[in-house]
Each structure stands twice: as structure tokens, then as C-alpha cells.
Amino acid sequence: MTATDDEEATRILDDVTVVDLTTFVTGGFATLMLANQGAEVIKVERPGLGDDNRHSGPPFVSPDPDYDGPGRTADENGESPYFWTINYDKLSVEFDLKTDSGLAALYDLVEEADVVVENFRPGTAERLGVGYDDLREVNEDVVYCSISAFGETGPWSSRPGYDLLVQGTSGIMSVTGPEDGDPVKVGLPQTDLITAMWSAFGIVGALFRRELTGEGDRIEIGMHDAALPWLSKQAGKAFVGEQPKRMGTKDPVLAPYQAYPTADGYLNVGCGNQKLWEELCAAIDRPDLVDDERFASNPDRVANMDALEEELSAVFRERPTEEWVDLLADERGLPVGPVYDVPTALDNEQTEARDVIREVEHPALGTVPVIEHPLNYEHAEAGFDGAPPLLGEDTEAILRELGYDEADLRTLREEGAIPDAD
């Protein structure tokens, strides 16, 4: 993703160094977003084990058995492709923070950093000596982001939490799934990613404030809190005493706005206003629906959603999905589209034209695919240059940059603060 008219463009966070103490998805995707904008992100991982996401699979991919460079695979099964998608363009060091010398090495790293991100359960960072107050003693201008499941206050603050649990407590599962079915988890780790985006947004805001005031800051965010603003239209119904419910692909305030079966798949149809509804009826040769009092206005259509679904499903079943897309989207400019599976979503003419999926060289795997992030600037660059790191790949190189010599590294190894050299 390259700026279009500025040959000297740089990435916006090029001079920012991030120390990433997180594991799994929430913090990892937050720092991934910063890496995409140019930040140097250094993952501090547990020796021999690393980020939990390294063990998320199957599938796993075996590295080249002839690779003899720094770093190694953390899982005996190989490298996790899920890990790749959260960790492009990062560096990896292994420090045992329960050793004095490992903690001292982290302090040296933080002294040169701009941002620290952690997602320990509340209280754990302080017990390890890496809480905000601890690291402010090392770097008073640091921007420090703490992520937890339920935040640091309230009766749930000590509970552990994962995306599944927060999808439940946030109400998301209560409005996801078929009308008469059980609550359904969104197929993505949605609350992890929601929280990651809030975290990255907060970090960039704190960095901007630091430019204005010279002061660092601490951002504290809970996944449960982060998910609630995304309820939007469902929250709007609850605020006036209505009970949002599961509706399949239907929408609580718009109709038609759902998926309909076609001759060979499904077609999403979204009519956001009366004009689009009338144009749709003309395009599918059903002008009579416009005059039907059950469907006269959007409130009428919402009130008679089941009857509307029956009428439109009968029409859309007459042709394959792509024929409807050609007729309605391409020829008539109406808001309809196919329902793709994931491989097709990643490999189609639009995704290819936007250069969203690329490949980067990986030292032990040849190449790995990269999903680019969607920010395209006119006067700045964004994008990933590097592969996800092997565990500990950059430990010794980064310590040497901090001024550690061979004797220092030997001491760290002897004390168990870093792994033995391969």
C-alpha cells in the first residue's frame, strides 16, 4: 500500500517502538495495526513457549528442515497460520521475566521504547514488575496500554476471559443466529478484534497527545466494555424498552436487508431507502410489491418481514447468484452481492485488484501469505514488509543493539533469562 504522489513518503509510525507483552489475539492484533503503520513491534515471549497463538491449530506448517538461522518453531507440529495473521512484521525476543536479569533486559528495552502493551489478568503485570508505575520509573514518557477481559474495576474484574465469553456477556450472541435457534458465536474472534482496534486507536491518540504535551499516558481497556458500543442498533431498541432478538440475516430496522436463497447459493440484498426498494421491485419484474400495503414503507416491510421474505425468496430462487449480481448490481447499480466462502473472499477479482493478499519471504517457510490492512494514504505509506517471526528470532540481535556484549549474553543464558544459543 504505497502513497500515490509523494516519493519521499514514510510510514506514519516509522519512529515508534512498541514493546508487546501480550499473548494471543487481542493485544497481538492491536500491535499488528501499529506495525502496519510503520512501528517497530518487539514481541517479548516466554522462553520455549512463546505466544499462545503459536499453538493455535491445526492447521500447522512444517518449516524447512535445513533452516539453521536464529529462532525456532515453538510448537512441535510446526508454525500456525493463525499466528501469521496476527504477527506480520514483528520481531521476537525471549525473556524470562521471572528472573532478575530477564526483567532487567526488559527494562533496558522499555527505556528505548515509546509504547508498551500488555494483556495480563489485572494485577499480574504489577506482580511481575512490569506494571505502569514500574515502567514509568524506567521511561516516564511511555504510553502504556493494559487490556483485560472485564477491566480493572467492577465485580467481574478478576474473571478470566476469552472472546467466546465476552461475546456472551456483551449480548452479541443473543442477537446472532437463526430466529428459532440457539445463541450463536460470531464466526470470527469478534470481541478480540474489536478490543484490538480500540486499543490501537487509543495508543495512537495517546502518542498524539504526547506530541502536544510531552507526557506519556496509560490506557486501560476491558473487552466487555469495548464490545458494547458496537451493539448500536440493537442497543437503540433496548434503550426504548424493546427486546432485540436473533433474526438470522434479517435486520431489526431495515427491510429488505438480508440474505435470500438463489438457484445455487445466497444473495445479500440491502435496500437502505424507499428509492432503492422501488428500483429493486422494477428490476426483478415485481412492481406489484411496491403497491402492496404490507410493503409500502420501510416500517411496513419491517413489520411484515416474514411475508416479504417469502415473496422475494420465490423470485431469487429462479436464477443463480451471479446472474442476479450481474443484473442487479452491475447493470442496475443496486446494493446486492454474493455470499462467498472464505477461500473465495480471499481470492476474487476485487481482492486481487486491491492487492489485499500478498506474499512475504519467510526464512524458514519460503513465503507466507499476508492480508494487508485497508488504510491507503495519499501522502504516507502503510503495509507489511516482514514475515511473522520465529520464536526468539531477534533476541540476541536486539540485546546487542541495546549494548549487551557476548559476556552479558552468556550471563543471561546462564541465569535462564534467555534461551541457550542454537
Side-chain angles (χ1 to χ4, degrees):
M1 303 293 181
T2 304
T4 57
D5 66 352
D6 190 342
E7 293 182 1
E8 301 301 319
T10 59
R11 297 195 292 178
I12 291 171
L13 300 181
D14 264 348
D15 295 327
V16 172
T17 299
V18 178
V19 175
D20 182 353
L21 300 177
T22 71
T23 187
F24 221 63
V25 180
T26 312
F29 201 89
T31 60
L32 181 74
M33 293 177 67
L34 304 177
N36 186 264
Q37 300 304 305
E40 180 182 68
V41 177
I42 303 170
K43 289 179 64 64
V44 178
E45 304 193 63
R46 294 165 291 181
L49 184 63
D51 187 333
D52 286 338
N53 208 29
R54 291 186 180 274
H55 308 279
S56 295
F60 292 96
V61 177
S62 297
D64 182 347
D66 295 326
Y67 174 72
D68 62 357
R72 59 201 179 283
T73 297
D75 194 285
E76 62 182 8
N77 296 299
E79 291 286 289
S80 165
Y82 185 15
F83 175 82
W84 302 345
T85 65
I86 312 298
N87 290 285
Y88 305 126
D89 228 358
K90 298 182 185 179
L91 307 174
S92 171
V93 300
E94 294 174 274
F95 293 167
D96 186 342
L97 300 182
K98 294 181 180 179
T99 66
D100 291 342
S101 54
L103 190 59
L106 176 70
Y107 289 169
D108 288 338
L109 191 59
V110 170
E111 186 176 3
E112 303 297 324
D114 300 282
V115 177
V116 174
V117 186
E118 58 91 1
N119 66 345
F120 299 113
R121 199 182 299 189
T124 301
E126 289 73 19
R127 287 195 298 273
L128 288 172
V130 297
Y132 179 53
D133 290 338
D134 300 305
L135 298 189
R136 279 187 70 195
E137 293 293 320
V138 176
N139 181 345
E140 66 178 1
D141 299 328
V142 73
V143 170
Y144 185 104
C145 181
S146 296
I147 304 168
S148 61
F150 298 104
E152 297 183 0
T153 58
W156 299 352
S157 60
S158 63
R159 289 184 185 179
Y162 287 98
D163 171 72
L164 171 65
L165 305 184
V166 178
Q167 286 205 31
T169 63
S170 66
I172 290 173
M173 288 176 64
S174 75
V175 295
T176 304
E179 294 179 56
D180 299 323
D182 296 328
V184 172
K185 180 179 77 69
V186 177
L188 311 172
Q190 186 176 48
T191 65
D192 281 331
L193 300 174
I194 288 170
T195 308
M197 296 185 78
W198 282 121
S199 300
F201 175 68
I203 289 166
V204 171
L207 288 171
F208 179 69
R209 178 181 178 275
R210 191 176 72 175
E211 287 295 306
L212 299 176
T213 67
E215 298 175 341
D217 208 341
R218 180 173 185 250
I219 304 148
E220 187 265 322
I221 182 169
M223 293 172 63
H224 176 78
D225 305 348
L228 294 179
W230 290 53
L231 293 174
S232 58
K233 63 182 67 177
Q234 285 81 8
K237 293 176 74 69
F239 287 154
V240 294
E242 296 185 21
Q243 177 66 55
K245 59 185 180 180
R246 290 182 291 283
M247 302 181 69
T249 64
K250 296 187 182 80
D251 187 86
V253 299
L254 291 172
Y257 199 94
Q258 67 180 92
Y260 294 94
T262 65
D264 65 348
Y266 291 90
L267 183 75
N268 276 327
V269 178
C271 289
N273 58 50
Q274 187 69 16
K275 179 174 182 290
L276 289 172
W277 162 243
E278 293 174 3
E279 290 177 354
L280 175 71
C281 292
I284 63 175
D285 199 25
R286 289 295 307 272
D288 58 297
L289 295 177
V290 174
D291 299 323
D292 191 318
E293 63 182 12
R294 297 173 299 171
F295 314 134
S297 68
N298 183 69
D300 294 322
R301 293 191 292 276
V302 170
N304 295 283
M305 203 175 290
D306 291 342
L308 180 64
E309 180 179 36
E310 185 176 346
E311 294 281 0
L312 292 181
S313 293
V315 173
F316 290 126
R317 283 195 182 99
E318 295 175 358
R319 299 189 188 190
T321 300
E322 285 305 315
E323 284 191 21
W324 285 119
V325 172
D326 290 343
L327 171 64
L328 301 178
D330 295 337
E331 294 181 20
R332 301 293 187 96
L334 291 167
V336 306
V339 177
Y340 283 156
D341 59 23
V342 173
T344 307
L346 294 172
D347 185 11
N348 61 69
E349 60 184 3
Q350 180 65 22
T351 302
E352 181 179 356
R354 297 288 290 173
D355 198 26
V356 178
I357 308 298
R358 301 187 297 105
E359 289 189 337
V360 293
E361 293 294 325
H362 189 288
L365 299 170
T367 59
V368 297
V370 171
I371 305 174
E372 266 300 349
H373 286 191
L375 298 174
N376 301 290
Y377 298 100
E378 190 73 15
H379 301 293
E381 293 183 350
F384 298 113
D385 294 326
L390 291 167
L391 178 60
E393 182 177 342
D394 307 286
T395 303
E396 295 195 5
I398 286 176
L399 287 170
R400 287 191 175 95
E401 287 181 11
L402 293 173
Y404 285 62
D405 60 22
E406 194 57 45
D408 297 324
L409 296 177
R410 185 166 54 251
T411 298
L412 287 170
R413 293 189 205 105
E414 291 171 352
E415 296 180 1
I418 65 173
D420 290 334
D422 294 333

